[in-house]
Amino acid sequence: MPERMLQFVRLPQQTPDKRDPAARRADFREIYADFQPARAAAQASRCSQCGVPFCQVHCPLHNNIPDWLKLTAEGRLEEAYELASATNSFPEICGRICPQDRLCEGNCVIEKGYDSVTIGAVERYITDTAFDRGWVRAVAPRAENGLSVGIIGAGPAGLAAAEQLRRLGYAVHVYDRYDRVGGLLIYGIPGFKLEKHIVQRRHDLLAAAGVQFHLGAEVGPDLPFGELRARHDALLIATGVYKARDIGGPGVGLPGIVPALDYLTASNRQGLGDTVPDFASGMLDAAGKNVVVIGGGDTAMDCVRTAVRQGAASVKCLYRRDRANMPGSMREVKNAEEEGVEFVWLSAPEAFLGDDCVAAVRAVRMRLGLPDASGRQTVEPVEGSHFTLPADLVIKALGFDPEDLPGAFGVPDLALTRWGTLKTDHRTFMTSLPGVFAAGDIVRGASLVVWAIRDGRDAAAQMHAWVRQNAAVAIAAE
Ligand code: FAD
Ligand code: SF4
Ligand code: SF4
């Protein structure tokens, strides 16, 4: 077991073994094997224990990365787990799906010339080990405090808040319109990035802690928002953003052109053993088809890689900018290319061709122009550069906007920003309605799991502070 740190000068970077692309294409299992203990310790020992750790600064949760790397290098895994879980509600999930190249690892100082410490893989290893050895236990409040909170949305923001508030002794009720807990962790993100039992394990732990889940409960006409407000001492809205951005152009309404989340949800449900009529009918199944995915973000990457696994005849990703300017993680592009996806850079769809069903996409080449006010290069079509791609399934992955929440909840006083997200006080997380807080994508716009966790934890602390000041009942457990 290595005892000294600063081993980056001697030891090269090594990630956990990655499965062979041919094997990956055949199933929906995660693509990285578990870190072997000796390799995890050796990789952790590469850290140079910076006085000002930029990895920590650029982790949205400000995880104490250098300390848990040192403890891992020394084989003190239980202490490493205590530290990793002190700031992160779901470290095994972040270790798997954070875009580390843009966050902690992308800012590791040894990256220049030596390749960064594999922080995410070590975080995953620490917590997976903690689960295997029984160190991860359901939170147990010291005493019930006689107060109750309602959380709308069982995604990472809602779940992180639920855990923090239950720890403080609240009766915690989580309401979700879906039949399973996890939000996009369960129905958006595919199993090859995050296996579903990892999410279900967290659901079980929260249920064991006494968090009460009300599933299949859509807040709106069936379950009035006002009723929940009356039922609880404070409410958290963590409903995410689900309105898919659309494209125009002739033929865009043809059958066979589908939104990304419908496609991914059907695939995830199928994998979970549900009966999915649109999958069974072939509408949302890529098997044997020529698939064109439009978009360049993480959702597009998940779609192309899902289509490959479903046995598509060909999978192309059409993106109007180039590789260097795409919003998705470079690591995911590389994984997709290894698995046989073809990227058609600097190209945008113009029209969708077909009679009863889409049969082809007519596209045009784009070139990058001058930067706009945001500093991003604009794109413009190259005249006369049209080309046609065969396509029996076109998946639109252009991002998400918030739904009209005041309308859906029947609460016109719920104030919005000009982007349609919920307006909150950035310090207190409270919306325009007293005692109603909000966190996650519904406040930030489509973002990341790690930010949802951070917001959920911070909002929980603010809800606690507000309830202490405002609720009539005294808090017994302090
Ligand atoms: P969500 O996870 O969206 O959860 C919201 C929950 O609220 C849902 O369960 C929903 O059913 C429920 N809800 C909504 N309305 C109501 C209502 N009226 N009544 C009751 N319940 C309601 N991030 C990463 O960090 N890494 C990735 O690799 C990554 N991949 C992604 C892939 C895809 C395909 C997508 C779409 C997103 C991805 N993201 C990724 C982003 C990440 O999933 C989100 O930022 C994160 O899940 C937001 O958490 P949340 O809790 O705010 O919302
Ligand atoms: Fe890196 Fe994400 Fe873990 Fe933070 S939570 S250390 S950003 S993998
Ligand atoms: Fe270690 Fe890199 Fe973080 Fe420095 S920036 S503490 S070397 S992981």
Side-chain angles (χ1 to χ4, degrees):
M1 194 71 70
E3 281 166 12
R4 286 184 305 123
M5 303 301 286
L6 285 150
Q7 296 297 319
F8 69 93
V9 284
R10 195 175 59 79
L11 279 175
Q13 184 195 63
Q14 271 189 312
T15 54
D17 291 335
K18 202 153 119 176
R19 294 169 62 214
D20 180 66
R24 277 151 46 186
R25 289 168 64 106
D27 63 40
F28 280 82
R29 287 181 30 233
E30 285 177 10
I31 68 166
Y32 291 101
D34 294 339
F35 238 153
Q36 291 308 308
R39 189 188 284 184
Q43 287 297 306
S45 77
R46 295 179 69 241
C47 169
S48 72
Q49 299 286 285
C50 304
V52 180
F54 286 109
C55 55
Q56 181 169 8
V57 172
H58 289 272
C59 164
L61 291 160
H62 299 311
N63 283 342
N64 191 344
I65 299 164
D67 282 6
W68 48 250
L69 286 173
K70 185 162 189 293
L71 289 166
T72 305
E74 292 169 356
R76 294 158 64 186
L77 286 179
E78 193 163 1
E79 291 162 82
Y81 167 68
E82 291 300 331
L83 214 52
S85 59
T87 48
N88 191 350
S89 311
F90 314 123
E92 76 289 8
I93 294 179
C94 292
R96 285 173 163 83
I97 60 168
C98 269
Q100 286 104 8
D101 47 353
R102 302 206 300 260
L103 301 171
C104 53
E105 293 179 16
N107 290 281
C108 171
V109 291
I110 68 169
E111 213 219 3
K112 305 283 167 284
Y114 287 97
D115 291 332
S116 64
V117 178
T118 52
I119 300 168
V122 174
E123 188 177 23
R124 171 190 159 176
Y125 165 74
I126 293 169
T127 316
D128 283 351
T129 307
F131 270 105
D132 289 348
R133 303 211 186 152
W135 302 332
V136 186
R137 284 177 287 273
V139 296
R142 266 187 294 159
E144 302 296 332
N145 69 13
L147 297 162
S148 134
V149 288
I151 297 175
I152 309 171
L159 297 182
E163 191 182 64
Q164 295 298 97
L165 289 162
R166 184 66 196 126
R167 199 189 296 277
L168 291 164
Y170 288 86
V172 178
H173 292 258
V174 179
Y175 303 87
D176 202 292
R177 62 183 173 188
Y178 284 156
D179 54 348
R180 287 189 178 88
V181 162
L184 289 172
L185 299 178
I186 197 92
Y187 286 139
I189 299 172
F192 50 81
K193 278 165 55 182
L194 176 66
E195 285 179 12
K196 301 301 159 191
H197 68 93
I198 307 283
V199 185
Q200 283 163 336
R201 185 167 70 176
R202 284 289 172 185
H203 174 191
D204 295 345
L205 269 176
L206 287 165
V211 172
Q212 296 183 50
F213 289 98
H214 306 264
L215 299 179
E218 176 149 12
V219 179
D222 298 340
L223 179 56
F225 182 75
E227 202 176 302
L228 291 189
R229 243 184 131 187
R231 206 183 282 176
H232 300 291
D233 294 290
L235 277 185
L236 178 71
I237 303 176
T239 47
V241 290
Y242 284 87
K243 194 167 87 188
R245 287 190 196 136
D246 220 337
I247 33 175
V252 75
L254 281 169
I257 304 176
V258 301
L261 204 54
D262 289 7
Y263 172 69
L264 291 173
T265 304
S267 172
N268 279 316
R269 279 196 178 280
Q270 174 75 14
L272 284 157
D274 294 353
T275 305
V276 188
D278 284 343
F279 188 87
S281 71
M283 196 175 106
L284 296 176
D285 183 359
K289 294 182 180 164
N290 292 309
V291 178
V292 173
V293 176
I294 300 166
D298 286 333
T299 303
M301 295 308 104
D302 289 350
C303 291
V304 287
R305 298 178 67 203
T306 296
V308 161
R309 283 160 175 79
Q310 288 178 346
S314 72
V315 184
K316 293 189 172 58
C317 181
L318 209 63
Y319 182 54
R320 63 198 181 125
R321 295 171 194 273
D322 60 3
R323 181 189 286 264
N325 285 288
M326 71 178 297
S329 158
M330 272 307 125
R331 194 179 54 183
E332 296 304 301
V333 176
K334 190 162 171 270
N335 286 335
E337 281 178 332
E338 286 169 3
E339 290 163 11
V341 173
E342 188 188 323
F343 285 85
V344 188
W345 304 113
L346 288 165
S347 303
E350 258 197 349
F352 301 90
L353 315 175
D355 297 326
D356 304 334
C357 186
V358 69
V361 177
R362 196 176 73 217
V364 61
R365 299 269 174 219
M366 309 295 283
R367 72 171 143 246
L368 293 171
L370 293 170
D372 61 15
S374 70
R376 213 160 171 225
Q377 277 180 285
T378 52
V379 281
E380 54 198 28
V382 178
E383 222 174 289
S385 64
H386 307 282
F387 61 99
T388 303
L389 295 172
D392 332 288
L393 178 63
V394 175
I395 303 172
K396 300 178 283 184
L398 299 141
F400 301 93
D401 288 316
E403 283 150 348
D404 168 24
L405 218 50
F409 283 3
V411 208
D413 295 349
L414 192 57
L416 300 179
T417 66
R418 64 193 163 104
W419 297 280
T421 48
L422 284 186
K423 195 175 210 167
T424 55
D425 180 309
H426 71 277
R427 279 160 303 148
T428 65
F429 287 75
M430 195 144 81
T431 64
S432 53
L433 305 177
V436 178
F437 297 76
D441 280 4
I442 190 60
V443 177
R444 247 173 220 286
S447 178
L448 294 174
V449 169
V450 64
W451 280 113
I453 296 172
R454 161 82 189 267
D455 292 347
R457 291 171 69 95
D458 287 352
Q462 294 301 325
M463 288 168 80
H464 180 50
W466 184 86
V467 173
R468 267 199 310 189
Q469 270 187 358
N470 291 277
V473 191
I475 295 179
E478 282 281 351

